[in-house]
C-alpha cells in the first residue's frame, strides 16, 4: 500500500457560539480555522473528525501561557471520559477544557499531532485566550479634588486587559451614565471635556474588553 498523504483533522467547537473571534463576535459555526486564535469567557469543549484510513496515532498537547503543560501528547484514542471522548469508527474526538475559578485566565495552545501507518506526520494547532476578568482602569488626571480654570480639560488614565484586549473606555462627568467614549491608545486613554458652567463634578470611567467584561 502506497500512502503519501498525511492524516488531517477538523477542529471545531462542540457547541456553536461558545467561542468568540478576536474582535469579540460570537462564532456561530462549529468549524474553527486550524491555526486560528479565539476568545472564551469560560470552559469549552473542542472536537474534530480525523480523515485517515490507516491512523496510527492522534496525540494532543495542551499548554497554558506557553510554559505550563496541561496535557503532554495525550492519546486521543484512549482518552478518559473525564477529559473527552473517542469514537473509533468515525475517528471523532472531543477534548473538554475546564477552567479553574482562580488563575484560569490565560492563553491555551493546542497541538494535535497525527501519524499514519506509513509514517506520514502532520501537526495542527489552535489558540484560545480565556478571559473571565474585567479590565483594570486608573484615572490619572484629574487628581482627587483637583481644581482647574482651564476648559477644555484633558482627562487621562491607564487601562490594561491581559486577555481579550481593551475594546473601549467610556466615561461621564455630569452623571454616571457613561455615555461618552474616550480615545484609547495602547494602555493609555484620554479625552477633552468642555465645561459650560462652574461647579464640582465627579468623573466616572469604565473600560470594556472585547468579551464585554
Amino acid at each position: 500500500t502506497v500512502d503519501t498523504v498525511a492524516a488531517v483533522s477538523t477542529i471545531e467547537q462542540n457547541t456553536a457560539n461558545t467561542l468568540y473571534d478576536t474582535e469579540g463576535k460570537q462564532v456561530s459555526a462549529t468549524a474553527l480555522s486550524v491555526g486560528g486564535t479565539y476568545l472564551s469567557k469560560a470552559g469549552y469543549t473542542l472536537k474534530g473528525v480525523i480523515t485517515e484510513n490507516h491512523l496510527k496515532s492522534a496525540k494532543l498537547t495542551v499548554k497554558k501561557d506557553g510554559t505550563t503543560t496541561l496535557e503532554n501528547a495525550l492519546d486521543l484514542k484512549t482518552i478518559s471520559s473525564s477529559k473527552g471522548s473517542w469514537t473509533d469508527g468515525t475517528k471523532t474526538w472531543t477534548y473538554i477544557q475546564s477552567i479553574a475559578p482562580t488563575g484560569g485566565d490565560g492563553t491555551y495552545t493546542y497541538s494535535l499531532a497525527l501519524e499514519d501507518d506509513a509514517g506520514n506526520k502532520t501537526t495542527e494547532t489552535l489558540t484560545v485566550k480565556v478571559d473571565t476578568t474585567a479590565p483594570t482602569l486608573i484615572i490619572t488626571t484629574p487628581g482627587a479634588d483637583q481644581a482647574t480654570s482651564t476648559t477644555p480639560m484633558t482627562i487621562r488614565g491607564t487601562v490594561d486587559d491581559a486577555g481579550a484586549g481593551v475594546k473601549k473606555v467610556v466615561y461621564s462627568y455630569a452623571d454616571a451614565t457613561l455615555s461618552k467614549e474616550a480615545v484609547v491608545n495602547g494602555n493609555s486613554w484620554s479625552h477633552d471635556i468642555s465645561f459650560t458652567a462652574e461647579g464640582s463634578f465627579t468623573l466616572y470611567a469604565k473600560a470594556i474588553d472585547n468579551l464585554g467584561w
Side-chain angles (χ1 to χ4, degrees), residues 1-181:
T1 300
V2 177
D3 183 357
T4 60
V5 180
V8 295
S9 177
T10 62
I11 301 181
E12 308 170 36
Q13 54 179 338
N14 195 50
T15 305
N17 296 312
T18 300
L19 299 181
Y20 300 73
D21 64 20
T22 54
E23 294 182 350
K25 182 180 179 180
Q26 283 185 306
V27 180
S28 58
T30 56
L32 304 175
S33 297
V34 173
T37 299
Y38 296 88
L39 307 175
S40 180
K41 291 183 174 182
Y44 48 90
T45 297
L46 298 177
K47 68 177 182 179
V49 178
I50 299 172
T51 302
E52 174 58 57
N53 291 328
H54 305 284
L55 183 66
K56 180 180 179 180
S57 64
K59 296 183 178 181
L60 183 66
T61 295
V62 184
K63 290 188 177 182
K64 180 176 180 287
D65 298 328
T67 56
T68 303
T69 301
L70 304 180
E71 304 288 355
N72 186 18
L74 173 66
D75 189 348
L76 292 179
K77 297 173 73 174
T78 60
I79 191 170
S80 65
S81 59
S82 63
K83 292 185 177 183
S85 65
W86 171 263
T87 303
D88 196 50
T90 58
K91 299 182 179 64
T92 300
W93 58 270
T94 66
Y95 177 76
I96 302 168
Q97 183 62 72
S98 58
I99 304 300
T102 302
D105 285 14
T107 300
Y108 293 74
T109 55
Y110 303 87
S111 298
L112 177 58
L114 305 173
E115 183 178 1
D116 63 22
D117 290 338
N120 299 307
K121 299 178 181 180
T122 188
T123 300
E124 299 180 352
T125 62
L126 189 80
T127 300
V128 179
K129 293 183 177 180
V130 174
D131 185 356
T132 64
T133 307
T136 57
L137 179 142
I138 297 174
I139 299 172
T140 56
T141 303
D145 298 321
Q146 178 179 330
T148 182
S149 60
T150 302
T151 185
M153 175 186 184
T154 301
I155 59 173
R156 293 186 175 89
T158 60
V159 62
D160 181 67
D161 187 87
V166 176
K167 182 177 184 179
K168 60 183 177 180
V169 170
V170 291
Y171 74 93
S172 58
Y173 60 89
D175 51 45
T177 58
L178 300 173
S179 58
K180 303 178 186 298
E181 187 169 338

